PDB file of all heavy atoms in Angstrom:
ATOM      1  N   SER A  34      -3.292 -32.626  11.113  1.00 53.00           N
ATOM      2  CA  SER A  34      -4.680 -32.964  11.473  1.00 53.00           C
ATOM      3  C   SER A  34      -5.637 -31.826  11.035  1.00 53.00           C
ATOM      4  O   SER A  34      -6.651 -32.071  10.342  1.00 53.00           O
ATOM      5  CB  SER A  34      -4.865 -33.256  12.909  1.00 53.00           C
ATOM      6  OG  SER A  34      -4.419 -32.175  13.720  1.00 53.00           O
ATOM      7  N   SER A  35      -5.283 -30.556  11.300  1.00 56.00           N
ATOM      8  CA  SER A  35      -6.083 -29.480  10.915  1.00 56.00           C
ATOM      9  C   SER A  35      -6.165 -29.277   9.471  1.00 56.00           C
ATOM     10  O   SER A  35      -7.242 -28.973   8.876  1.00 56.00           O
ATOM     11  CB  SER A  35      -5.576 -28.177  11.610  1.00 56.00           C
ATOM     12  OG  SER A  35      -5.607 -28.270  12.972  1.00 56.00           O
ATOM     13  N   LEU A  36      -5.092 -29.421   8.770  1.00 59.00           N
ATOM     14  CA  LEU A  36      -5.040 -29.241   7.286  1.00 59.00           C
ATOM     15  C   LEU A  36      -5.837 -30.366   6.616  1.00 59.00           C
ATOM     16  O   LEU A  36      -6.541 -30.061   5.637  1.00 59.00           O
ATOM     17  CB  LEU A  36      -3.645 -29.292   6.746  1.00 59.00           C
ATOM     18  CG  LEU A  36      -3.454 -28.915   5.307  1.00 59.00           C
ATOM     19  CD1 LEU A  36      -4.002 -27.557   4.928  1.00 59.00           C
ATOM     20  CD2 LEU A  36      -1.982 -29.024   4.911  1.00 59.00           C
ATOM     21  N   ALA A  37      -5.738 -31.475   7.105  1.00 53.00           N
ATOM     22  CA  ALA A  37      -6.593 -32.643   6.562  1.00 53.00           C
ATOM     23  C   ALA A  37      -8.080 -32.355   6.650  1.00 53.00           C
ATOM     24  O   ALA A  37      -8.803 -32.544   5.672  1.00 53.00           O
ATOM     25  CB  ALA A  37      -6.226 -33.980   7.225  1.00 53.00           C
ATOM     26  N   ALA A  38      -8.497 -31.906   7.819  1.00 54.00           N
ATOM     27  CA  ALA A  38      -9.901 -31.564   8.022  1.00 54.00           C
ATOM     28  C   ALA A  38     -10.323 -30.384   7.105  1.00 54.00           C
ATOM     29  O   ALA A  38     -11.364 -30.359   6.515  1.00 54.00           O
ATOM     30  CB  ALA A  38     -10.222 -31.170   9.508  1.00 54.00           C
ATOM     31  N   TYR A  39      -9.445 -29.457   7.050  1.00 57.00           N
ATOM     32  CA  TYR A  39      -9.763 -28.277   6.187  1.00 57.00           C
ATOM     33  C   TYR A  39      -9.869 -28.728   4.744  1.00 57.00           C
ATOM     34  O   TYR A  39     -10.762 -28.293   3.982  1.00 57.00           O
ATOM     35  CB  TYR A  39      -8.607 -27.244   6.323  1.00 57.00           C
ATOM     36  CG  TYR A  39      -8.730 -26.074   5.371  1.00 57.00           C
ATOM     37  CD1 TYR A  39      -9.650 -25.022   5.678  1.00 57.00           C
ATOM     38  CD2 TYR A  39      -7.996 -25.976   4.251  1.00 57.00           C
ATOM     39  CE1 TYR A  39      -9.807 -23.898   4.838  1.00 57.00           C
ATOM     40  CE2 TYR A  39      -8.185 -24.787   3.357  1.00 57.00           C
ATOM     41  CZ  TYR A  39      -9.100 -23.816   3.708  1.00 57.00           C
ATOM     42  OH  TYR A  39      -9.229 -22.772   2.892  1.00 57.00           O
ATOM     43  N   LEU A  40      -8.895 -29.504   4.182  1.00 54.00           N
ATOM     44  CA  LEU A  40      -8.998 -29.954   2.798  1.00 54.00           C
ATOM     45  C   LEU A  40     -10.166 -30.764   2.530  1.00 54.00           C
ATOM     46  O   LEU A  40     -10.758 -30.752   1.395  1.00 54.00           O
ATOM     47  CB  LEU A  40      -7.702 -30.617   2.442  1.00 54.00           C
ATOM     48  CG  LEU A  40      -6.470 -29.758   2.409  1.00 54.00           C
ATOM     49  CD1 LEU A  40      -5.163 -30.550   2.038  1.00 54.00           C
ATOM     50  CD2 LEU A  40      -6.565 -28.568   1.492  1.00 54.00           C
ATOM     51  N   THR A  41     -10.589 -31.655   3.483  1.00 54.00           N
ATOM     52  CA  THR A  41     -11.763 -32.444   3.285  1.00 54.00           C
ATOM     53  C   THR A  41     -13.005 -31.590   3.143  1.00 54.00           C
ATOM     54  O   THR A  41     -13.856 -31.783   2.182  1.00 54.00           O
ATOM     55  CB  THR A  41     -11.955 -33.362   4.532  1.00 54.00           C
ATOM     56  OG1 THR A  41     -10.849 -34.194   4.674  1.00 54.00           O
ATOM     57  CG2 THR A  41     -13.272 -34.187   4.361  1.00 54.00           C
ATOM     58  N   LEU A  42     -13.071 -30.495   3.942  1.00 52.00           N
ATOM     59  CA  LEU A  42     -14.213 -29.655   3.757  1.00 52.00           C
ATOM     60  C   LEU A  42     -14.146 -28.791   2.470  1.00 52.00           C
ATOM     61  O   LEU A  42     -15.153 -28.724   1.725  1.00 52.00           O
ATOM     62  CB  LEU A  42     -14.224 -28.551   4.944  1.00 52.00           C
ATOM     63  CG  LEU A  42     -15.375 -27.559   4.902  1.00 52.00           C
ATOM     64  CD1 LEU A  42     -16.717 -28.282   5.230  1.00 52.00           C
ATOM     65  CD2 LEU A  42     -15.126 -26.549   6.064  1.00 52.00           C
ATOM     66  N   ARG A  43     -12.998 -28.303   2.168  1.00 54.00           N
ATOM     67  CA  ARG A  43     -12.934 -27.563   0.894  1.00 54.00           C
ATOM     68  C   ARG A  43     -13.096 -28.408  -0.395  1.00 54.00           C
ATOM     69  O   ARG A  43     -13.496 -27.886  -1.419  1.00 54.00           O
ATOM     70  CB  ARG A  43     -11.481 -26.896   0.856  1.00 54.00           C
ATOM     71  CG  ARG A  43     -11.359 -25.678   1.825  1.00 54.00           C
ATOM     72  CD  ARG A  43     -12.248 -24.521   1.410  1.00 54.00           C
ATOM     73  NE  ARG A  43     -11.910 -23.930   0.149  1.00 54.00           N
ATOM     74  CZ  ARG A  43     -10.912 -23.084   0.013  1.00 54.00           C
ATOM     75  NH1 ARG A  43     -10.247 -22.602   0.956  1.00 54.00           N
ATOM     76  NH2 ARG A  43     -10.658 -22.648  -1.280  1.00 54.00           N
ATOM     77  N   SER A  44     -12.767 -29.694  -0.275  1.00 51.00           N
ATOM     78  CA  SER A  44     -12.926 -30.549  -1.479  1.00 51.00           C
ATOM     79  C   SER A  44     -14.332 -30.597  -1.924  1.00 51.00           C
ATOM     80  O   SER A  44     -14.620 -30.873  -3.111  1.00 51.00           O
ATOM     81  CB  SER A  44     -12.370 -31.971  -1.098  1.00 51.00           C
ATOM     82  OG  SER A  44     -13.175 -32.642  -0.071  1.00 51.00           O
ATOM     83  N   LYS A  45     -15.258 -30.398  -1.015  1.00 46.00           N
ATOM     84  CA  LYS A  45     -16.687 -30.437  -1.415  1.00 46.00           C
ATOM     85  C   LYS A  45     -16.974 -29.262  -2.376  1.00 46.00           C
ATOM     86  O   LYS A  45     -18.044 -29.237  -3.055  1.00 46.00           O
ATOM     87  CB  LYS A  45     -17.547 -30.290  -0.123  1.00 46.00           C
ATOM     88  CG  LYS A  45     -17.487 -31.552   0.810  1.00 46.00           C
ATOM     89  CD  LYS A  45     -18.241 -31.358   2.014  1.00 46.00           C
ATOM     90  CE  LYS A  45     -18.085 -32.591   3.045  1.00 46.00           C
ATOM     91  NZ  LYS A  45     -18.893 -32.398   4.229  1.00 46.00           N
ATOM     92  N   ALA A  46     -16.230 -28.190  -2.240  1.00 50.00           N
ATOM     93  CA  ALA A  46     -16.418 -27.075  -3.211  1.00 50.00           C
ATOM     94  C   ALA A  46     -15.474 -27.239  -4.430  1.00 50.00           C
ATOM     95  O   ALA A  46     -15.146 -26.240  -5.089  1.00 50.00           O
ATOM     96  CB  ALA A  46     -16.064 -25.805  -2.404  1.00 50.00           C
ATOM     97  N   ALA A  47     -15.072 -28.457  -4.662  1.00 49.00           N
ATOM     98  CA  ALA A  47     -14.273 -28.678  -5.888  1.00 49.00           C
ATOM     99  C   ALA A  47     -12.918 -27.911  -5.921  1.00 49.00           C
ATOM    100  O   ALA A  47     -12.557 -27.285  -6.891  1.00 49.00           O
ATOM    101  CB  ALA A  47     -15.058 -28.441  -7.095  1.00 49.00           C
ATOM    102  N   LEU A  48     -12.242 -27.960  -4.793  1.00 51.00           N
ATOM    103  CA  LEU A  48     -10.945 -27.264  -4.713  1.00 51.00           C
ATOM    104  C   LEU A  48      -9.990 -28.005  -5.673  1.00 51.00           C
ATOM    105  O   LEU A  48      -9.809 -29.168  -5.632  1.00 51.00           O
ATOM    106  CB  LEU A  48     -10.370 -27.347  -3.274  1.00 51.00           C
ATOM    107  CG  LEU A  48      -9.044 -26.615  -3.011  1.00 51.00           C
ATOM    108  CD1 LEU A  48      -9.191 -25.125  -3.230  1.00 51.00           C
ATOM    109  CD2 LEU A  48      -8.625 -26.966  -1.586  1.00 51.00           C
TER     110      LEU A  48
END
Side-chain angles (χ1 to χ4, degrees):
S34 58
S35 297
L36 187 59
Y39 176 78
L40 294 179
T41 298
L42 180 68
R43 288 291 298 273
S44 64
K45 296 178 181 178
L48 182 65

